[in-house]
Amino acid sequence: MGTQQMQQTLRYQLDELQKDGVNAIIFQVRAECDALYPSRYEPWSIYLTGVQGKAPYPLWDPLQWMIEQCHERGMELHAWINPFRTKTKGTTALASNHIAIKQPGSVFTYGGQFILNPGNPANRAYIYQVVDDIVSRYDIDGFHIDDYFYPYPAPGEIIQDGREYRQYHNGINNIDDWRRYNVNVFIKELGEKIHQRKPWVKFGVSPFGIYRNKKSDPKIGSNTRGLQNYDDLYADVLLWVNNGWVDYCVPQLYWQIGHSTADYETLIKWWNKYAGNRHLCSFRFTTITSQ
């Protein structure tokens, strides 16, 4: 769009959301180890200029601009990152300072994407460094991560993390348990580091909408038949919530009431029952187009 048109569009969206009573904006600033802000670690995002690593012109800082615009309207600004996704399917060229170019051994390929391997402690440390840079430099009210930890299953694809499992298994004999352990450590340590830097910054997560199906867990599983956080994405969300490792949880419940596989009413009641130890929000996408 260019700087002026992008700012005009965002102003319009924020004004409309303010009219609707919205009091917090979750703004994505890192989609694939890139940045919608000037970063000392990662390249400018392709979503700003169409070319990864190319600075916007005229130069501006979208994150700082959004913080100022939101605070003027009495809204909170939560900076949203995708922690482990390193390259999406649609990105064909990476900047020279992108981590997958500088450290190709840190990622594995899966389903046309690059993923920072959660089983490598150096990758987790790298993300902490990126996060601390954001939290320390910007007056954000919250820090948010989405549902991408290990990748969503793709037919015929195998996660290539056997080397890291052999090196960092920590005595865990089951690779699925080890993958969950890696994500658990990441969530716990990330929240701690955010709060060490700024205790008032809220740390939130938007997990996939199903924790486990009743077929997999007859005791607490939901009456659903879809993809599962615990089994398929190696994300033990209830552990994070019940241990207070996150400040709020926003499960992604995109399905309508009466959905045959993942009924909204069934799931929102399930999350309320089992994940009510921290603030719980119902997640719905709203798209606003510019006039």
Side-chain angles (χ1 to χ4, degrees):
M1 289 185 181
T3 297
Q4 185 175 359
Q5 186 181 356
M6 195 172 291
Q7 290 179 353
Q8 181 181 354
T9 299
L10 288 168
R11 280 196 192 95
Y12 168 75
Q13 293 178 337
L14 291 173
D15 287 342
E16 292 299 306
L17 291 167
Q18 185 183 26
K19 292 175 186 177
D20 293 335
V22 168
N23 61 7
I25 299 296
I26 299 175
F27 183 61
Q28 189 171 26
V29 298
R30 181 183 185 266
E32 47 181 354
C33 291
D34 55 2
L36 271 79
Y37 61 95
S39 171
R40 68 193 74 177
Y41 302 111
E42 299 185 314
W44 284 102
S45 175
I46 190 175
Y47 299 109
L48 273 177
T49 63
V51 178
Q52 189 180 89
K54 182 181 178 181
Y57 182 83
L59 186 65
W60 68 306
D61 182 339
L63 175 54
Q64 180 60 35
W65 188 90
M66 282 291 288
I67 291 170
E68 294 169 359
Q69 293 290 319
C70 286
H71 287 176
E72 286 177 7
R73 292 167 173 81
M75 297 172 169
E76 293 187 1
L77 189 286
H78 294 218
W80 162 21
I81 74 163
N82 185 294
F84 292 103
R85 188 174 61 195
T86 315
K87 185 191 79 68
T88 62
K89 292 180 181 180
T91 299
T92 57
L94 300 175
S96 60
N97 63 330
H98 190 275
I99 189 169
I101 299 297
K102 295 191 298 181
Q103 300 179 34
S106 65
V107 306
F108 60 78
T109 59
Y110 189 93
Q113 302 180 92
F114 290 168
I115 309 294
L116 269 179
N117 194 329
N120 186 336
N123 287 340
R124 300 197 295 267
Y126 172 72
I127 299 170
Y128 302 153
Q129 190 177 44
V130 170
V131 171
D132 189 65
D133 181 49
I134 295 172
V135 176
S136 63
R137 289 169 52 203
Y138 292 95
D139 185 23
I140 59 174
D141 303 286
F143 196 91
H144 190 83
I145 60 174
D146 51 31
D147 55 325
Y148 292 99
F149 303 104
Y150 282 88
Y152 277 62
E157 297 267 358
I158 298 174
I159 296 175
Q160 302 295 333
D161 60 354
R163 179 186 62 185
E164 286 75 17
Y165 177 56
R166 290 188 295 271
Q167 187 172 358
Y168 304 113
H169 60 78
N170 295 310
I172 300 172
N173 295 322
N174 182 287
I175 195 168
D176 290 349
D177 290 337
W178 174 73
R179 289 171 180 162
R180 277 185 286 271
Y181 166 82
N182 296 329
V183 180
N184 291 339
V185 168
F186 171 74
I187 295 293
K188 183 175 186 293
E189 292 184 344
L190 180 60
E192 290 172 348
K193 292 180 185 301
I194 290 170
H195 292 142
Q196 285 168 7
R197 176 64 70 178
K198 291 181 179 176
W200 60 89
V201 171
K202 305 174 187 72
F203 174 43
V205 60
S206 286
F208 183 72
I210 298 172
Y211 176 69
R212 297 192 87 187
N213 300 310
K214 190 174 288 292
K215 182 179 180 180
S216 300
D217 190 337
K219 185 176 180 180
I220 68 166
S222 56
N223 188 22
T224 50
R225 297 185 301 279
L227 187 84
Q228 305 169 105
N229 272 294
Y230 185 90
D231 303 83
D232 301 313
L233 303 177
Y234 308 103
D236 191 353
V237 185
L238 291 192
L239 181 71
W240 315 339
V241 169
N242 291 326
N243 280 300
W245 295 349
V246 297
D247 295 312
Y248 66 87
C249 179
V250 193
Q252 297 186 16
L253 304 181
Y254 300 123
W255 309 285
Q256 73 272 23
I257 294 175
H259 192 284
S260 60
T261 301
D263 172 55
Y264 178 86
E265 184 176 5
T266 297
L267 282 167
I268 197 63
K269 289 179 178 178
W270 184 94
W271 284 98
N272 187 55
K273 180 178 180 179
Y274 291 104
N277 197 38
R278 307 302 281 173
H279 290 294
L280 178 66
C281 307
S282 174
F283 186 103
R284 304 294 287 181
F285 256 134
T286 300
T287 301
I288 299 176
T289 57
S290 60
Q291 291 178 328

